[in-house]
Amino acid sequence: DERENTLNQLLTEMDGFDTNSGVIILAATNRAEILDSALMRAGRFDRQIHLELPDVKEREEIFQVHTKNLKMASSVKIDFLAKQTPGFSGADIANVCNEAALIAARNDKKEIDKQDFLDAVDRIIGGLEKKNKIISETEKRTIAYHEAGHATVSWLLEYANPLLKVTIIPRGKALGAAWYLPEERSITTKEQLLDEMCSTLGGRASEEINFGKVSTGALNDLERVTKQAIAMVSFYGMSSDIGNLSYYNSTDDYGFTKPYSDKTAEKIDADVKAMVEEQYERAKEVLRNNMEGLTQLAETLLEKEVIFSDDLERIFGKRKGENKALDAINEAKEQEKAEAEKQTADADVPSTSSGSDGETENKNNEISES
């Protein structure tokens, strides 16, 4: 077919270069695994450079590129934006900057402030807000308890991703949404995966405990949990029954081959089901032990429609476990608060022309420190 002719022509052209002509051919693809092996042979595309999603430092540098021509408020800190966007690619960051400028323009602002950037991140992750969507009081209450279930379990489990924000305002196809701040790590342990699975099931668990029935609202949660459990059992060797075996095949492009017997397939199905059920029961137990906090959180969500990590900390106390990204954001908030208090204090102090040289020097030191 035409594709084969193109490949053959490309290979012929590449072989035709003289060794001293100094020509380098660069190519990029998102699907390196499906390339013809003839292309990857020595002397052709024999050097591969893997480009992963940018880390927090790289995101900061990308933000600096895309915000260079934007008129931003002095309150906008690039490092804060980089910490708010884990898992974002360069294209996502460019989109955030563009969306923030659009939001600021719609609101007739002279410059882009921090809230515009945060709204842009929410818009890209969750979609457009649909405040005019008609939802009955019963549905709204179910959504509030569902999202409060996610928030409660994720806050109380040590390795689950900590919550940043929860809303029951419909966005895109979702009737409610929760924003988490995943810790950027290279490897993930079984305990971390199980805690994340448990917090994902917290929404449905909350529905069952509070209303005695479940709804279709957990479709996305169940899909994610099922895929994660299958990966843990059949790819990562995290099942005691299957053992240290991985049936992942990176060379099988279309998934036509099944590298295990029907008996093993039954074992995988049973292990996946048992793993999900165990975490579901664990989520219900966590919620039952913290019913007062769960109810308070859900009622706050019904009243305010949007809650933040500060509300969870007020109800449940400090979160267990460490999360550098969340700590960095809290530290940025504290610094911002301290700067605001200092500016207010400086504004309250009456100016005077008299005073000793020592007092003037101290005041200059304060200004330089702030």
Side-chain angles (χ1 to χ4, degrees):
D1 61 5
E2 186 185 345
R3 187 175 51 186
E4 285 295 323
N5 295 335
T6 307
L7 175 62
N8 290 333
Q9 182 67 25
L10 180 60
L11 294 174
T12 305
E13 293 288 345
M14 289 174 73
D15 286 340
F17 288 121
D18 295 329
T19 54
N20 59 357
S21 61
V23 176
I24 298 172
I25 303 179
L26 299 177
T29 177
N30 289 332
R31 297 294 306 277
E33 71 276 3
I34 67 170
L35 293 177
D36 194 290
S37 55
L39 273 173
M40 313 305 288
R41 216 172 60 214
R44 289 173 178 158
F45 291 111
D46 56 350
R47 294 192 182 185
Q48 294 182 38
I49 302 168
H50 294 279
L51 296 178
E52 303 295 335
L53 290 172
D55 60 23
V56 65
K57 186 66 181 170
E58 291 162 347
R59 288 198 302 275
E60 188 176 332
E61 292 173 0
I62 295 169
F63 263 112
Q64 285 171 350
V65 171
H66 291 299
T67 56
K68 192 162 51 177
N69 298 322
L70 298 180
K71 192 174 180 183
M72 299 193 301
S74 57
S75 61
V76 179
K77 300 285 190 293
I78 298 295
D79 58 337
F80 175 78
L81 297 177
K83 288 162 187 167
Q84 286 279 352
T85 50
F88 276 46
S89 66
D92 291 328
I93 291 171
N95 201 6
V96 166
C97 296
N98 184 53
E99 194 67 38
L102 290 172
I103 291 168
R106 285 191 200 109
N107 294 324
D108 295 325
K109 293 181 181 177
K110 299 296 182 187
E111 54 189 13
I112 309 166
D113 59 28
K114 188 172 79 170
Q115 191 56 47
D116 295 325
F117 277 101
L118 294 177
D119 290 343
V121 172
D122 293 350
R123 161 80 177 83
I124 288 165
I125 294 174
L128 278 171
E129 282 190 353
K130 295 181 179 177
K131 292 190 175 181
N132 58 347
K133 192 177 180 72
I134 299 169
I135 301 175
S136 69
E137 201 60 41
T138 307
E139 286 177 330
K140 195 173 181 182
R141 194 166 194 79
T142 304
I143 296 164
Y145 274 87
H146 180 102
E147 297 302 336
H150 284 309
T152 302
V153 178
S154 70
W155 193 263
L156 294 170
L157 294 183
E158 184 177 355
Y159 298 116
N161 294 324
L163 190 95
L164 199 62
K165 172 183 173 182
V166 187
T167 177
I168 55 171
I169 299 170
R171 278 182 177 272
K173 291 183 178 180
L175 297 175
W179 281 257
Y180 298 91
L181 201 64
E183 189 167 1
E184 295 180 60
R185 49 192 180 225
S186 301
I187 58 172
T188 307
T189 64
K190 183 179 179 181
E191 288 72 25
Q192 289 167 336
L193 288 170
L194 290 175
D195 277 7
E196 287 171 17
M197 190 185 294
C198 185
S199 68
T200 307
L201 290 166
R204 169 159 279 202
S206 176
E207 286 183 36
E208 186 177 329
I209 289 172
N210 288 286
F211 306 112
K213 51 192 174 185
V214 294
S215 70
T216 57
L219 173 62
N220 182 249
D221 300 334
L222 298 178
E223 181 187 358
R224 283 161 50 207
V225 161
T226 305
K227 284 181 180 176
Q228 190 171 327
I230 290 171
M232 289 174 70
V233 173
S234 56
F235 295 162
Y236 301 129
M238 292 181 176
S239 162
S240 55
D241 197 11
I242 302 298
N244 296 318
L245 296 175
S246 176
Y247 296 110
Y248 177 69
N249 186 358
S250 58
T251 59
D252 182 18
D253 306 330
Y254 303 103
F256 289 148
T257 60
K258 188 176 72 171
Y260 47 80
S261 65
D262 291 340
K263 191 173 181 182
T264 303
E266 289 178 11
K267 279 186 181 180
I268 290 173
D269 290 342
D271 276 11
V272 166
K273 188 175 187 303
M275 186 179 286
V276 173
E277 285 302 316
E278 184 182 344
Q279 296 311 310
Y280 185 60
E281 291 302 321
R282 184 180 169 210
K284 288 200 287 188
E285 185 182 347
V286 170
L287 293 175
R288 284 194 191 100
N289 293 338
N290 296 274
M291 275 303 292
E292 189 178 338
L294 171 67
T295 306
Q296 192 178 340
L297 195 63
E299 295 301 325
T300 306
L301 197 51
L302 280 167
E303 181 188 342
K304 295 182 178 178
E305 291 192 328
V306 180
I307 57 171
F308 298 89
S309 55
D310 299 344
D311 297 296
L312 278 98
E313 194 168 311
R314 177 174 51 79
I315 294 170
F316 297 110
K318 283 276 186 186
R319 187 177 181 275
K320 293 178 184 176
E322 294 181 359
N323 186 281
K324 292 175 184 175
L326 189 63
D327 292 342
I329 285 176
N330 288 335
E331 188 181 334
K333 283 182 183 176
E334 290 297 325
Q335 285 177 354
E336 197 174 311
K337 189 177 177 183
E339 283 177 13
E341 287 174 355
K342 189 161 185 61
Q343 285 174 2
T344 307
D346 290 344
D348 291 341
V349 175
S351 60
T352 176
S353 57
S354 63
S356 66
D357 293 339
E359 287 174 349
T360 307
E361 188 181 354
N362 288 340
K363 189 172 182 183
N364 288 336
N365 286 339
E366 284 177 16
I367 292 169
S368 63
E369 284 170 6
S370 65

Coordinates of all heavy atoms in Angstrom, one line a residue, residues 215-251:
S215 N -26.1 5.3 42.8 CA -26.5 6.0 41.6 C -25.5 5.7 40.4 O -24.5 5.1 40.6 CB -26.7 7.5 41.8 OG -25.4 8.1 42.0
T216 N -25.9 6.3 39.3 CA -25.0 6.1 38.1 C -23.9 7.2 38.1 O -23.0 7.2 37.2 CB -25.8 6.4 36.8 OG1 -26.5 7.6 36.9 CG2 -26.9 5.3 36.7
G217 N -23.9 8.0 39.1 CA -22.9 9.1 39.2 C -21.4 8.6 39.4 O -20.5 9.4 39.2
A218 N -21.3 7.3 39.8 CA -19.9 6.8 40.0 C -19.3 6.1 38.8 O -18.3 5.4 38.9 CB -20.0 5.8 41.2
L219 N -19.9 6.3 37.6 CA -19.4 5.6 36.4 C -17.9 5.8 36.2 O -17.2 4.9 36.0 CB -20.3 6.1 35.2 CG -19.8 5.5 33.8 CD1 -19.8 4.0 33.8 CD2 -20.6 6.2 32.7
N220 N -17.5 7.1 36.2 CA -16.1 7.4 35.9 C -15.2 6.8 37.0 O -14.1 6.3 36.7 CB -15.9 8.9 35.8 CG -14.5 9.3 35.5 OD1 -13.8 9.9 36.3 ND2 -14.0 9.0 34.3
D221 N -15.7 6.9 38.2 CA -14.9 6.3 39.4 C -14.7 4.8 39.2 O -13.6 4.3 39.3 CB -15.6 6.5 40.7 CG -15.8 8.0 41.0 OD1 -15.0 8.8 40.5 OD2 -16.8 8.3 41.7
L222 N -15.7 4.1 38.8 CA -15.7 2.6 38.7 C -14.8 2.3 37.5 O -14.0 1.3 37.5 CB -17.1 2.1 38.5 CG -18.0 2.2 39.6 CD1 -19.4 1.7 39.3 CD2 -17.5 1.6 40.9
E223 N -14.8 3.1 36.4 CA -14.0 2.8 35.2 C -12.5 2.9 35.6 O -11.7 2.0 35.3 CB -14.4 3.8 34.1 CG -13.6 3.6 32.8 CD -13.8 4.7 31.8 OE1 -14.6 5.6 32.1 OE2 -13.1 4.6 30.8
R224 N -12.2 4.0 36.3 CA -10.8 4.2 36.7 C -10.3 3.1 37.7 O -9.2 2.6 37.5 CB -10.6 5.6 37.4 CG -10.6 6.7 36.4 CD -10.9 8.0 37.0 NE -10.1 8.3 38.2 CZ -10.5 9.1 39.2 NH1 -11.7 9.7 39.1 NH2 -9.7 9.3 40.2
V225 N -11.1 2.8 38.6 CA -10.7 1.8 39.6 C -10.5 0.4 39.0 O -9.6 -0.3 39.3 CB -11.8 1.7 40.7 CG1 -11.7 0.4 41.5 CG2 -11.7 2.9 41.7
T226 N -11.4 0.0 38.0 CA -11.3 -1.3 37.4 C -10.1 -1.4 36.6 O -9.3 -2.4 36.6 CB -12.6 -1.5 36.4 OG1 -13.8 -1.4 37.2 CG2 -12.5 -2.9 35.8
K227 N -9.7 -0.3 35.8 CA -8.5 -0.3 35.0 C -7.3 -0.4 35.9 O -6.3 -1.1 35.6 CB -8.4 1.0 34.2 CG -9.3 1.0 32.9 CD -9.2 2.3 32.2 CE -10.1 2.3 30.9 NZ -10.1 3.5 30.2
Q228 N -7.3 0.3 37.0 CA -6.2 0.3 37.9 C -6.0 -1.1 38.6 O -4.9 -1.6 38.7 CB -6.4 1.4 39.0 CG -5.2 1.6 39.9 CD -5.4 2.8 40.8 OE1 -6.0 3.8 40.5 NE2 -4.8 2.7 42.0
A229 N -7.1 -1.7 38.9 CA -7.0 -3.0 39.6 C -6.5 -4.1 38.5 O -5.7 -4.9 38.9 CB -8.4 -3.5 40.1
I230 N -7.0 -4.0 37.3 CA -6.5 -4.9 36.3 C -5.0 -4.7 36.0 O -4.2 -5.7 35.9 CB -7.3 -4.7 35.0 CG1 -8.7 -5.2 35.1 CG2 -6.6 -5.4 33.8 CD1 -9.6 -4.8 34.0
A231 N -4.5 -3.5 36.0 CA -3.1 -3.2 35.8 C -2.3 -3.8 37.0 O -1.2 -4.3 36.8 CB -2.9 -1.7 35.7
M232 N -2.8 -3.6 38.2 CA -2.1 -4.1 39.4 C -1.9 -5.6 39.4 O -0.9 -6.1 39.7 CB -2.8 -3.6 40.7 CG -2.7 -2.1 40.9 SD -3.6 -1.6 42.4 CE -2.7 -2.3 43.7
V233 N -3.0 -6.3 39.0 CA -3.0 -7.7 39.0 C -2.2 -8.3 37.8 O -1.3 -9.2 38.0 CB -4.4 -8.3 39.0 CG1 -4.4 -9.8 38.9 CG2 -5.1 -7.9 40.3
S234 N -2.5 -7.8 36.6 CA -1.9 -8.5 35.4 C -0.7 -7.9 34.9 O 0.0 -8.5 34.1 CB -3.0 -8.6 34.3 OG -3.5 -7.3 34.0
F235 N -0.4 -6.6 35.2 CA 0.8 -5.9 34.7 C 1.9 -5.8 35.8 O 3.1 -6.1 35.5 CB 0.5 -4.6 34.2 CG -0.4 -4.6 33.0 CD1 -1.1 -3.4 32.6 CD2 -0.6 -5.7 32.2 CE1 -1.9 -3.4 31.5 CE2 -1.5 -5.7 31.1 CZ -2.1 -4.6 30.8
Y236 N 1.5 -5.3 37.0 CA 2.5 -5.0 38.0 C 2.9 -6.1 39.0 O 3.7 -5.9 39.9 CB 2.1 -3.7 38.8 CG 1.9 -2.5 37.9 CD1 0.7 -1.8 37.9 CD2 2.8 -2.1 37.0 CE1 0.5 -0.7 37.1 CE2 2.6 -1.0 36.2 CZ 1.4 -0.3 36.2 OH 1.2 0.8 35.4
G237 N 2.3 -7.3 38.8 CA 2.6 -8.4 39.7 C 2.3 -8.1 41.2 O 3.0 -8.5 42.1
M238 N 1.1 -7.4 41.5 CA 0.8 -7.0 42.8 C -0.4 -7.9 43.4 O -1.1 -7.5 44.3 CB 0.4 -5.6 42.9 CG 1.5 -4.6 42.6 SD 1.0 -2.9 42.7 CE 2.6 -2.1 42.5
S239 N -0.5 -9.1 42.8 CA -1.5 -10.1 43.3 C -0.8 -11.3 43.9 O 0.1 -11.8 43.3 CB -2.5 -10.5 42.2 OG -3.1 -11.7 42.5
S240 N -1.2 -11.6 45.1 CA -0.6 -12.8 45.8 C -0.9 -14.1 45.1 O -0.1 -15.0 45.1 CB -1.0 -12.9 47.3 OG -2.5 -12.9 47.3
D241 N -2.1 -14.1 44.4 CA -2.5 -15.4 43.7 C -1.7 -15.5 42.4 O -1.2 -16.6 42.0 CB -4.0 -15.3 43.5 CG -4.6 -16.7 43.1 OD1 -3.8 -17.7 43.3 OD2 -5.7 -16.8 42.7
I242 N -1.7 -14.4 41.6 CA -1.0 -14.5 40.3 C 0.5 -14.5 40.5 O 1.3 -15.1 39.7 CB -1.4 -13.3 39.4 CG1 -2.9 -13.3 39.2 CG2 -0.7 -13.3 38.1 CD1 -3.5 -14.5 38.5
G243 N 1.0 -13.7 41.5 CA 2.4 -13.7 41.8 C 3.2 -12.7 40.9 O 2.6 -11.8 40.3
N244 N 4.5 -12.8 40.9 CA 5.3 -11.9 40.2 C 5.4 -12.1 38.7 O 6.4 -12.4 38.1 CB 6.7 -11.9 40.8 CG 6.8 -11.5 42.2 OD1 6.1 -10.5 42.6 ND2 7.5 -12.2 43.1
L245 N 4.2 -12.1 38.1 CA 4.1 -12.2 36.6 C 3.5 -11.0 36.0 O 2.6 -10.4 36.6 CB 3.2 -13.5 36.3 CG 3.7 -14.8 36.7 CD1 2.7 -15.9 36.4 CD2 5.1 -15.2 36.1
S246 N 4.0 -10.6 34.8 CA 3.4 -9.5 34.1 C 3.0 -10.0 32.7 O 3.8 -10.5 32.0 CB 4.4 -8.3 34.0 OG 3.8 -7.3 33.2
Y247 N 1.7 -9.7 32.4 CA 1.2 -10.1 31.1 C 1.1 -8.9 30.1 O 0.4 -9.0 29.1 CB -0.2 -10.8 31.2 CG -0.1 -12.1 32.0 CD1 -0.7 -12.1 33.3 CD2 0.5 -13.2 31.5 CE1 -0.6 -13.3 34.1 CE2 0.5 -14.4 32.3 CZ 0.0 -14.4 33.5 OH 0.1 -15.6 34.3
Y248 N 1.9 -7.9 30.5 CA 1.9 -6.7 29.6 C 2.9 -7.0 28.5 O 4.0 -7.5 28.7 CB 2.4 -5.5 30.4 CG 2.6 -4.2 29.6 CD1 1.5 -3.6 29.1 CD2 3.9 -3.7 29.3 CE1 1.6 -2.4 28.3 CE2 4.0 -2.6 28.6 CZ 2.9 -1.9 28.1 OH 3.0 -0.8 27.3
N249 N 2.5 -6.7 27.3 CA 3.3 -7.0 26.1 C 3.4 -5.7 25.3 O 2.5 -5.3 24.6 CB 2.6 -8.1 25.2 CG 3.5 -8.5 24.1 OD1 4.6 -7.9 23.9 ND2 3.1 -9.5 23.3
S250 N 4.6 -5.1 25.4 CA 4.8 -3.8 24.7 C 4.9 -3.9 23.2 O 4.7 -2.9 22.5 CB 6.0 -3.1 25.3 OG 7.2 -3.9 25.1
T251 N 5.1 -5.1 22.7 CA 5.3 -5.3 21.3 C 4.0 -5.7 20.6 O 4.0 -5.7 19.3 CB 6.3 -6.4 21.0 OG1 5.9 -7.6 21.6 CG2 7.7 -6.0 21.6

